[in-house]
Amino acid sequence: MTAINIIRQRYRVSILTDGAGYSPDGTLRGHLIKCMPIPHLRAAVATRGSGLLTALFASNFGYAATDFDHLVSIGGALAEQLYDQNFAAISGSTETELELYLGGWSESNNRPEAYVLCSDDRHGFEKWELHPIPEDVTAAPVPSGDDLLSAGFDLGMDPADFDPVRHGLMLMEVQRRMKLPPSPYGNDCHIVGGFACLTEITKDGIGQRIIRKWRDKIGEPINPFAATEDQIIPMNRQQRRAVERAQSKRTA
């Protein structure tokens, strides 16, 4: 199970994912990007399921759609077609079902938007349809309120004040400590690891960076209690100025 967290605010939508590729017993096998930007559409796609799917969907979505709004209109049917065409490769994974998360900037609505699609009806959604995500902050997997509170998270926070780095990392550290089934065939274990990747989409474009690295070792189970390689990877001057501009707009 991949950690996929969506934060939708007035001027941006942020997607936080981990970077662990693991076997059914929770052993770390490698690192991979689980959220792929589609810059010319001002969109990004993240998936839970086979590790092959994120790049497959991103490349084909980018080829087929003219903008983000067009992608929303065709994305469900295209995702099902791609899934069926590549099922032989996907079936080599222990997890053949799909959850797809799509974030982007809607030109027609002049706002950031986020959607979710499933290949089955696990969340009560009609399968192979993109459904708008109504919440401003969506966490998957969902931690308990007690775990969030014990980590110092303010459950009553205004979503406009949610800092994707500071609060996003707090959320991911809680998810990292959760024990979850990596597949229907495996025992519960820790499966959020590798690194934390932040993808941010605004009207002006897309940025993506690694904001935390964990000292998980390939060939060993993920250890959520290991020290981080970098507590918070610093922004460069251009990134800091972009954040400052966004903050000034909120307070204006």
Side-chain angles (χ1 to χ4, degrees), residues 85 142 245:
Q85 289 173 346
V142 182
R245 285 196 297 271

Side-chain angles (χ1 to χ4, degrees), residues 60-228:
N60 283 275
F61 284 176
Y63 184 80
T66 55
D67 59 24
F68 178 72
D69 296 309
H70 184 214
L71 176 56
V72 171
S73 71
I74 68 172
L78 181 54
E80 183 176 12
Q81 177 186 343
L82 291 167
Y83 181 87
D84 289 343
Q85 289 173 346
N86 294 275
F87 189 77
I90 294 167
S91 62
S93 167
T94 55
E95 177 57 76
T96 56
E97 297 300 339
L98 163 73
E99 283 182 29
L100 181 150
Y101 294 81
L102 180 68
W105 187 271
S106 168
E107 193 67 34
S108 61
N109 296 321
N110 193 33
R111 68 186 184 193
E113 295 181 350
Y115 296 82
V116 61
L117 171 151
C118 297
S119 61
D120 58 11
D121 58 359
R122 69 180 71 181
H123 297 307
F125 296 132
E126 187 70 24
K127 63 182 181 179
W128 299 115
E129 288 187 9
L130 282 166
H131 299 269
I133 297 176
E135 297 85 1
D136 292 320
V137 179
T138 303
V142 182
S144 70
D146 288 342
D147 286 344
L148 289 170
L149 286 171
S150 66
F153 204 88
D154 180 5
L155 297 180
M157 180 190 308
D158 187 328
D161 296 328
F162 192 104
D163 184 313
V165 175
R166 180 186 171 207
H167 301 117
L169 285 175
M170 290 172 65
L171 172 59
M172 291 196 74
E173 288 292 353
V174 174
Q175 291 172 321
R176 182 167 158 78
R177 286 165 172 76
M178 295 171 65
K179 272 201 165 185
L180 298 161
S183 77
Y185 314 104
N187 297 320
D188 289 0
C189 52
H190 301 288
I191 55 179
V192 174
F195 54 79
C197 179
L198 171 62
T199 306
E200 295 181 289
I201 308 162
T202 69
K203 188 173 184 176
D204 298 325
I206 297 179
Q208 186 176 69
R209 59 194 176 101
I210 305 302
I211 57 173
R212 176 159 291 174
K213 293 180 180 179
W214 292 294
R215 291 181 180 172
D216 301 313
K217 296 181 179 180
I218 293 176
E220 297 182 7
I222 292 171
N223 179 6
F225 306 104
T228 58

